[in-house]
Amino acid sequence: MKEGSSTLLPSFIWKINGMSLDNLDAPLRMTWDLCPEGQAQLTDDELLLIADRLVDAGIFSLLLDERPLLHPGLPPVLERLSNSGCQIALVLGNSQPEWNRLDRIAGQISLFVDASPWLAQPDGLQGLEKAFVHLENRRKQVSMFWVPGNGQLRYLPLLLELCARLRVPRFKLPNRKIGANPEPVGPAGLLQPDDLDELKLLLGKQPINTENVNLEVHDLFLWELLFPQGGGQRSEYGGCQAGNSLGHIAVNGDVWPCSSWRDSLGNLLQQDLATLWDSPQRYRVRAEIAVEPDDCAGCHDYPICFGGCRGLSRSFRSDSARRDLLCDGPRKK
């Protein structure tokens, strides 16, 4: 922690499996939206400036989303970040222009196919399978990426079966982000507790095997259903990591606490990341997360989830509730 940081934020430390995770000087992982549809793109030089500031901050891993292959300035950004040792992942949509530019990807870049645009089409699962086979024929090793929406968890067993059958190395179920496109997702499009109930019934009738798929799940409540005996990977630990180990870069260079927390901490075109991460705005985010939500009072599992995703709850709960949207209430012993 930087000197003087503790004066801006009440002292708190997450305790996870005997390990302490205090406030970090820079995030370990970041996501970056490069080309959201309908929004102005940064110039090539502006992209390189941001890349340099990520390198200077020592970012461990970076996921590039929102049609990154369509930005003409992508190759030098990938080279700059790769040479620094940053682990880079890139999300691929289903548009032909993106696929035509796959040969621009060189080096150790992880590729993820976003299942959402495929599932929105007739015969989407068949088209998605053909896409994976096509990429394998092009000697591109790709993984699965999917953000399920309301009423869509019925596809999950089918996608897991596809991953196992095609030996897809990873299946990433990240958090729902907000604000990337001109019409951000509303509460009606988000997963709800009823979705988990439906999935639970489905898994009761037809259990799925997750042993052969490297499944990474963001949300604790979804992870519990998929791994009732434990195991698997959770991409978060010690509660909401917005503004600590996790950060997000919007298409204009603004830095958010995470892709689900639409508050700017400043802009990487004007300030370096270390400065933004040591700002009062960032410490206010961590202070808000440190406060137990009123509607989590008395919950037996609060020391495990710490209220879950706080960014989505603060954006989409109309009442004073601040717990994870997928939580239907405090759990008792």
Side-chain angles (χ1 to χ4, degrees):
M1 182 187 297
K2 292 184 180 295
E3 184 177 357
S5 295
S6 61
T7 62
L8 296 173
L9 180 69
S11 176
F12 68 94
I13 299 177
W14 302 115
K15 299 288 187 179
I16 309 103
N17 298 327
M19 177 183 69
S20 297
L21 182 65
D22 208 339
N23 287 310
L24 303 177
D25 293 336
L28 301 175
R29 299 174 292 122
M30 297 199 77
T31 53
W32 187 1
D33 290 339
L34 260 67
C35 297
E37 189 173 357
Q39 297 193 37
Q41 302 174 13
L42 297 180
T43 67
D44 295 2
D45 288 341
E46 288 172 331
L47 286 191
L48 279 176
L49 174 59
I50 290 177
D52 285 337
R53 288 183 163 168
L54 296 179
V55 170
D56 291 341
I59 299 301
F60 179 73
S61 69
L62 176 69
L63 185 141
L64 301 171
D65 199 1
E66 295 296 329
R67 311 184 308 164
L69 280 167
L70 297 184
H71 200 296
L74 178 64
V77 167
L78 295 180
E79 181 180 6
R80 190 76 55 90
L81 290 165
S82 296
N83 289 340
S84 74
C86 179
Q87 297 182 1
I88 304 172
L90 186 150
V91 179
L92 177 65
N94 69 337
S95 70
Q96 193 62 47
E98 292 177 78
W99 289 60
N100 291 341
R101 298 185 183 188
L102 273 174
D103 292 334
R104 305 168 74 193
I105 304 302
Q108 299 298 314
I109 309 296
S110 299
L111 292 176
F112 286 89
V113 172
D114 186 356
S116 294
W118 296 95
L119 296 180
Q121 298 177 351
D123 301 322
L125 282 171
Q126 292 88 336
L128 184 60
E129 180 170 352
K130 291 179 181 178
F132 273 95
V133 172
H134 173 74
L135 290 167
E136 183 179 6
N137 291 338
R138 293 181 63 176
R139 300 184 183 279
K140 299 290 185 181
Q141 187 179 63
V142 292
S143 298
M144 184 81 75
F145 180 98
W146 186 47
V147 183
N150 182 251
Q152 295 182 335
L153 283 181
R154 66 185 184 277
Y155 289 116
L156 184 53
L158 300 174
L159 292 175
L160 283 168
E161 188 275 331
L162 186 151
C163 287
R165 179 160 40 84
L166 298 182
R167 299 183 180 179
V168 174
R170 295 171 63 190
F171 187 170
K172 188 176 181 67
L173 288 163
N175 200 26
R176 167 72 71 176
K177 65 182 177 183
I178 57 176
N181 295 303
E183 296 181 3
V185 63
L190 297 170
L191 288 180
Q192 304 292 333
D194 288 347
D195 290 297
L196 294 185
D197 292 339
E198 182 181 355
L199 179 62
K200 186 176 181 179
L201 290 173
L202 182 62
L203 296 179
K205 298 176 182 177
Q206 186 178 358
I208 58 177
N209 184 0
T210 57
E211 294 180 359
N212 297 323
V213 179
N214 184 5
L215 185 60
E216 182 182 324
V217 185
H218 175 93
D219 194 90
L220 170 66
F221 304 97
L222 181 56
W223 174 83
E224 286 178 330
L225 289 182
L226 296 174
F227 297 96
Q229 305 302 320
Q233 294 187 50
R234 287 204 61 227
S235 56
E236 305 306 327
Y237 46 90
C240 179
Q241 284 299 305
N244 197 33
S245 69
L246 184 63
H248 176 71
I249 306 169
V251 65
N252 65 348
D254 279 354
V255 173
W256 299 356
C258 82
S259 62
S260 301
W261 194 305
R262 189 170 42 191
D263 278 347
S264 176
L265 306 180
N267 192 286
L268 280 174
L269 299 178
Q270 280 79 48
Q271 293 177 294
D272 60 69
L273 184 55
T275 299
L276 297 179
W277 226 241
D278 198 36
S279 66
Q281 296 97 309
R282 181 254 176 160
Y283 289 114
R284 280 195 288 270
V285 170
R286 294 310 300 167
E288 180 176 335
I289 292 171
V291 176
E292 178 180 329
D294 291 342
D295 50 337
C296 290
C299 179
H300 178 261
D301 286 341
Y302 180 76
I304 299 174
C305 76
F306 296 97
C309 177
R310 308 291 283 276
L312 289 177
S313 65
R314 75 193 303 271
S315 295
F316 292 110
R317 284 197 182 276
S318 59
D319 52 18
S320 61
R322 285 290 187 240
R323 69 177 186 272
D324 194 294
L325 292 175
L326 285 179
C327 178
D328 57 4
R331 300 175 177 179
K332 308 299 181 181
K333 285 187 178 181

